[in-house]
Amino acid sequence: MFALLVGASHAVASVRAAPGAADRDTTGGGSLVMVLDSSGSMGGDDGTGRTRMESARTAVGTVVDALPEGHPTGLRVYGADRTQGCADTRLVRPVLPLDRAAVKQAVAGVQPRGDTPIGLSLQKAAEDLPAPTDGAVGTRTILLISDGEDNCGTPQPCEVAERLGGQGVGLRIDTVGFQVRGAARKQLECIAEAGNGRYYDAPDADALARQLQRSAQLSVDGYRLKGERTEGAATAAEAPAMTPGQYLDTIGPGEKRYYAVGLDAFSTADFAATAVPQPGAAVDSLDALSTGLAYGDGDATCESATARFLQQEGATPLTSAVSRIRSEDGNRSCDKAGRYWLVVERQSKKGSDSARWPLELLYGVEEPLPDGVTPAQSRPEYGEGGEDAELPTGDPRDVRGGTGFNDAGELGRGVWRDRILPSQTLWYKVPAGWGQQVRYDVEFANEPTVDSSAAHSYGRTQLFTPARSPVGSGGGFRETVMYSGRPAALRMGSVPVAWTNRYESRSAVRPVHADGDFYIAVTLGAKAAEIAENPRIGVVLRVAVPGEELAGPQHGASVLAERPGGSEAGADGGRAGAADSSGPGGAGWTGIAAVAGAGAAALLTAGILLVRSRRGTGTQTTRGSA
């Protein structure tokens, strides 16, 4: 991965973080157990002269070859031991650190014989998966491969899936229907929906291998959560206290969680909540995650924001953010020092995913400018970074996007190439200093499609500030495009970073008020699994960072010739001497560093009156203030 010639930023604010608040990676505990139909029907011809079982063996081998070293993987079969019997289910390879040869050997010895006890096999598969330890919330996946429906009746597969899906956090049941139709397909779809997962259709052997790879890899590449454990309360009176840092909790459908914070009368406080449902789980387009900052007895609200899925193909990570920004005259109710509450609420329609979702919380504090420092005027216009900006061209370089904010792949100016799974969101970060802006295009590739495909899906991108606040899509930009396997592109960007942007009203301007790592999220819709032949779909990002970087947010700040710590990219695309971007919990608050010594002295040279632009009248309809 390649990065700009950037390093530690000269800045005027500081973020106070709780020691060790985000040092803990709780992603561990992910595991996979494949449940393979070995009933008599799997001995039938799949249309190529091979049996369905032979094709399934090949597909399982393809899956394990693509899994990362050591990923806990097991194999259970049903219908393999007796010609009849509804108790015929067996674990042929326990869930252990991946041994590719052992899994292939285990599936090679399986012969199709008997009945189809899917419900019982799902129960047993859940027991096969090791329980998470030490607070881990990694994805535990049951991957069911079947060519027919359960013929045993008890326990009912959909009822089992619903019960398992509602237990704890992180369990997922994906189903792959191999040459199924009618009642068999409906049952497999029901199991996946009830089990927080996805149904994948495999009309032939090639599709079987492709869909198994998609499900398994999606499980492995789950969002990497980080933070200190906390548990929000149902009321303000019982809320746990939070200091600046990064935290982990969970949230259920219709639930509201309160967290208490103490704020001074001058600093900006930034709060972000990211809900992480299982990718592709059933959601309604209006299902939402809301954040608010409350005061008084917890009933009055200073600020509020709501993020919605705005599509019905399946769940993706959802981030909502609010900031307490002191007003210019300091006379608002929420300008006062005192006790406040971060309020996070999940809103779900009937029939949506009922599982509890992991919730990653970020709380950062930006201290006010030193006395005598006059900030530069706000920058509410896109200027050279508008939709018609000239972006880099040429051959793309390979990059690998991260699973979330905490491991986002670092990008700089240039053209980058990646591959994305249906239902997946890839994450990247781009450093931008004072006076600079992030501008990028996302291009979804022209892909060979399956013959019967008449479906369409979507591609989406979102841009987030260093404080994880979503940047609105003003200036002719848009976040979503239809995808049908043919080329599709999105344009997105930010206004220039300016301290005084925090006083603007537009949702595309107000959040862009601190320098550091900006985050790009790229999502491909779940229905793309019905469209493309290749397991992953190509995506190209063209990234620019227009504008000269300034030494600070003050009026008249000089242009930086080169940011300290910057260096050229190595052969592997990595960056040497990069700035520390860990911030509170790895949030990427690069550049929100304490003012001291010569840096503070330089800032104090600015001494003219504040000049601030008030252009633009748009407001974010999901936000409010008091």
Side-chain angles (χ1 to χ4, degrees), residues 15-19 21 228 242-247 261-263 362-365 584:
V15 171
R16 302 187 296 273
E228 178 183 345
M242 288 201 314
T243 56
Q246 190 163 313
Y247 298 85
V261 295
L263 303 183
L362 187 68
Y363 168 23
V365 175

Side-chain angles (χ1 to χ4, degrees), residues 502-579:
R502 68 191 67 213
Y503 296 123
E504 295 287 340
S505 59
R506 286 161 45 202
S507 64
V509 180
R510 191 171 189 255
V512 188
H513 61 247
D515 70 336
D517 286 332
F518 283 70
Y519 296 89
I520 296 171
V522 178
T523 300
L524 182 65
K527 285 189 177 180
E530 303 171 19
I531 297 171
E533 284 188 356
N534 295 323
R536 295 182 187 267
I537 293 170
V539 62
V540 170
L541 293 93
R542 302 181 186 275
V543 179
V545 184
E548 294 181 313
E549 183 177 6
L550 305 177
Q554 72 273 22
H555 177 82
S558 60
V559 174
L560 284 179
E562 180 179 343
R563 296 186 67 171
S567 68
E568 295 186 359
D572 62 352
R575 177 175 70 150

Side-chain angles (χ1 to χ4, degrees), residues 66-427:
L67 290 173
E69 293 290 340
H71 187 72
T73 305
L75 177 67
R76 173 173 285 277
V77 299
Y78 58 81
D81 294 337
R82 296 186 290 276
T83 56
Q84 289 183 318
C86 286
D88 185 4
T89 180
R90 175 167 55 95
L91 185 65
V92 296
R93 173 66 186 172
V95 180
L96 297 170
L98 180 62
D99 182 332
R100 294 185 176 87
V103 176
K104 292 177 183 179
Q105 184 177 3
V107 75
V110 176
Q111 297 297 328
R113 288 189 176 89
D115 286 319
T116 313
I118 293 177
L120 178 62
S121 297
L122 291 175
Q123 279 186 181
K124 296 293 186 181
E127 298 171 4
D128 298 336
L129 293 168
T133 59
D134 193 29
V137 289
T139 301
R140 300 160 62 241
T141 300
I142 298 171
L143 175 50
L144 171 65
I145 308 109
S146 180
D147 75 340
E149 64 182 311
D150 182 291
N151 68 348
C152 290
T154 304
Q156 287 289 337
C158 285
E159 293 177 4
V160 172
E162 184 175 11
R163 184 170 67 252
L164 294 174
Q167 294 175 356
V169 177
L171 182 67
R172 172 187 184 89
I173 305 174
D174 280 353
T175 59
V176 179
F178 187 18
Q179 299 183 330
V180 300
R181 66 182 73 182
R185 174 167 176 161
K186 287 182 179 179
Q187 185 177 75
L188 293 173
E189 288 175 335
C190 174
I191 291 169
E193 183 173 350
N196 313 322
R198 293 293 303 180
Y199 169 76
Y200 295 88
D201 194 51
D204 54 47
D206 289 341
L208 178 64
R210 175 171 66 246
Q211 304 293 40
L212 288 182
Q213 286 182 68
R214 284 170 172 163
S215 170
Q217 203 61 49
L218 201 63
S219 171
V220 170
D221 290 341
Y223 188 108
R224 296 191 68 82
L225 296 153
K226 285 187 178 182
E228 178 183 345
R229 285 285 180 182
T230 189
E231 186 173 345
T235 65
E238 301 172 311
M242 288 201 314
T243 56
Q246 190 163 313
Y247 298 85
L248 288 179
D249 198 358
T250 64
I251 192 166
E255 198 167 73
K256 186 181 287 188
R257 309 286 265 178
Y258 285 83
Y259 311 87
V261 295
L263 303 183
D264 63 29
F266 302 100
S267 301
T268 292
D270 298 313
F271 303 91
T274 300
V276 189
Q278 289 298 322
V283 293
D284 184 84
S285 61
L286 296 181
D287 286 355
L289 184 73
S290 298
T291 50
L293 189 62
Y295 65 100
D297 294 327
D299 297 326
T301 301
C302 303
E303 299 285 349
S304 63
T306 299
R308 302 183 188 277
F309 290 108
L310 301 179
Q311 48 80 23
Q312 294 180 311
E313 290 190 26
T316 60
L318 201 59
T319 298
S320 178
V322 290
S323 294
R324 195 292 295 271
I325 298 172
R326 184 180 185 274
S327 64
E328 294 172 276
D329 57 17
N331 290 327
R332 285 194 322 159
S333 299
C334 293
D335 290 338
K336 300 174 183 177
R339 187 177 179 86
Y340 292 78
W341 289 269
L342 170 64
V343 186
V344 183
E345 183 176 8
R346 175 181 164 188
Q347 302 159 23
S348 299
K349 297 276 188 176
K350 184 178 180 181
S352 295
D353 181 17
S354 62
R356 296 190 69 80
W357 294 346
L359 189 65
E360 189 172 80
L361 305 171
L362 187 68
Y363 168 23
V365 175
E366 304 171 50
E367 293 182 351
L369 298 179
D371 291 341
V373 173
T374 301
Q377 68 180 29
S378 59
R379 302 283 297 276
E381 306 298 336
Y382 288 93
E384 63 177 311
E387 58 178 323
D388 296 325
E390 186 174 337
L391 297 184
T393 59
D395 294 334
R397 285 171 287 179
D398 289 331
V399 69
R400 188 65 194 141
T403 65
F405 287 109
N406 301 302
D407 63 350
E410 192 162 1
L411 301 181
R413 297 180 181 91
V415 185
W416 307 95
R417 175 178 57 204
D418 206 343
R419 299 192 70 79
I420 189 170
L421 295 163
S423 299
Q424 189 174 42
T425 300
L426 295 176
W427 299 75

